[in-house]
């Protein structure tokens, strides 16, 4: 009995470590999703104007640099689930491409460089940014949806553990509070006036 309890403690510590690691990713994704929804009114016209070849005087973009930094820090701490590795690497690779282009465009518009180069840098970097952005969106969505799936699976597992030890009411109470966290779900729950 002593030995099996010791193994149980080891398993519980591993599980707690997995949860702590996973929560670093959840925090990064949740922050990005909140900001993307909050600033969609500004970010969408920027990308649409660049696609249409319209000149900009202000550049609005999601905070790729912050997402990249937080995901890299989380990865340094560890990857809690094997199924995250490949989608995370794809996302970080795309962030490594898009972040410097977004920063260069942001600096260009802030410095009003377009007034002296007749939008030459916009014509050079705008299409590249649009292409990278269009590649980023599905890669990010895949990772975001995976995070949501893992989170729901973890919560369902926890609810089942509560039911298994006879805490059906606690499980039912927690189940009521399950909320979607993915960007896709956040967008789906927006109301038109937001």
């Amino acid at each position: 009995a002593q030995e099996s309890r010791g193994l149980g403690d080891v398993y519980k510590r591993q599980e707690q470590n997995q949860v702590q690691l996973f929560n670093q990713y959840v925090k990064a994704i949740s922050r990005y999703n909140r900001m993307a929804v909050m600033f969609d009114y500004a970010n969408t016209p920027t990308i649409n104007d660049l696609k249409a070849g319209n000149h900009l005087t202000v550049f609005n973009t999601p905070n790729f640099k912050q997402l990249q930094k937080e995901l890299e820090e989380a990865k340094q701490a560890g990857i809690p689930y094997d199924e995250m590795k490949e989608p995370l690497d794809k996302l970080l690779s795309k962030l490594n491409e898009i972040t410097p282009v977004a920063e260069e465009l942001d600096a260009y518009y802030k410095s009003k460089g377009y007034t002296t180069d007749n939008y030459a840098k916009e014509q050079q970097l705008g299409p590249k940014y649009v292409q990278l952005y269009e590649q980023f969106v599905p890669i990010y969505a895949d990772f975001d949806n995976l995070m949501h799936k893992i989170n729901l699976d973890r919560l369902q597992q926890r609810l089942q553990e509560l039911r298994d030890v006879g805490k059906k009411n606690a499980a039912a109470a927690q189940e009521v509070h399950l909320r979607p966290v993915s960007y896709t779900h956040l967008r789906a729950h927006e109301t038109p006036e937001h």
Side-chain angles (χ1 to χ4, degrees):
Q2 185 75 17
E3 197 172 296
S4 66
R5 200 171 36 201
L7 286 175
D9 290 345
V10 167
Y11 173 74
K12 194 167 212 116
R13 276 195 302 277
Q14 282 179 325
E15 190 178 340
Q16 286 172 339
N17 187 43
Q18 262 186 323
V19 168
Q20 286 176 334
L21 290 174
F22 184 73
N23 284 344
Q24 289 181 5
Y25 292 94
V26 169
K27 185 178 171 186
I29 294 296
S30 294
R31 181 189 329 260
Y32 178 83
N33 290 347
R34 275 193 315 275
M35 298 313 250
V37 169
M38 194 180 309
F39 293 105
D40 184 64
Y41 73 91
N43 297 339
T44 297
T46 293
I47 200 77
N48 288 341
D49 282 345
L50 284 173
K51 280 184 195 175
N54 300 332
H55 292 310
L56 304 178
T57 55
V58 176
F59 182 71
N60 293 295
T61 184
N63 194 338
F64 296 119
K65 187 175 187 171
Q66 181 176 5
L67 177 63
Q68 179 182 24
K69 177 182 176 285
E70 290 178 0
L71 289 177
E72 284 174 350
E73 288 171 358
K75 186 178 178 184
Q76 288 273 312
I79 300 174
Y81 303 102
D82 289 342
E83 64 193 299
M84 288 174 59
K85 185 172 179 3
E86 187 182 329
L88 175 63
D89 287 344
K90 278 177 75 175
L91 179 56
L92 285 171
S93 175
K94 193 52 60 184
L95 283 166
N96 287 335
E97 290 180 69
I98 198 169
T99 299
V101 176
E103 287 188 324
E104 193 172 347
L105 279 168
D106 188 48
Y108 172 70
Y109 291 106
K110 281 182 178 165
S111 71
K112 298 191 186 313
Y114 53 86
T115 61
T116 57
D117 76 350
N118 198 28
Y119 289 95
K121 186 168 268 195
E122 178 186 81
Q123 290 167 358
Q124 172 203 359
L125 292 178
K128 183 177 183 179
Y129 175 77
V130 168
Q131 179 185 22
L132 291 170
Y133 185 86
E134 289 178 341
Q135 293 167 355
F136 168 84
V137 169
I139 291 170
Y140 180 79
D142 287 348
F143 188 74
D144 185 36
N145 290 329
L146 174 63
M147 294 291 291
H148 185 65
K149 178 195 167 299
I150 291 170
N151 200 36
L152 282 178
D153 290 349
R154 276 186 31 216
L155 291 169
Q156 294 297 342
Q157 182 181 359
R158 176 75 180 120
L159 293 174
Q160 190 56 51
E161 288 168 4
L162 286 172
R163 286 185 200 99
D164 290 348
V165 296
K167 297 184 177 180
K168 290 182 174 76
N169 290 342
Q174 285 188 20
E175 208 161 15
V176 168
H177 296 290
L178 293 181
R179 293 282 185 264
V181 295
S182 75
Y183 177 67
T184 307
H185 284 90
L186 282 172
R187 294 304 308 264
H189 291 288
E190 280 187 318
T191 56
E193 59 271 7
H194 284 130

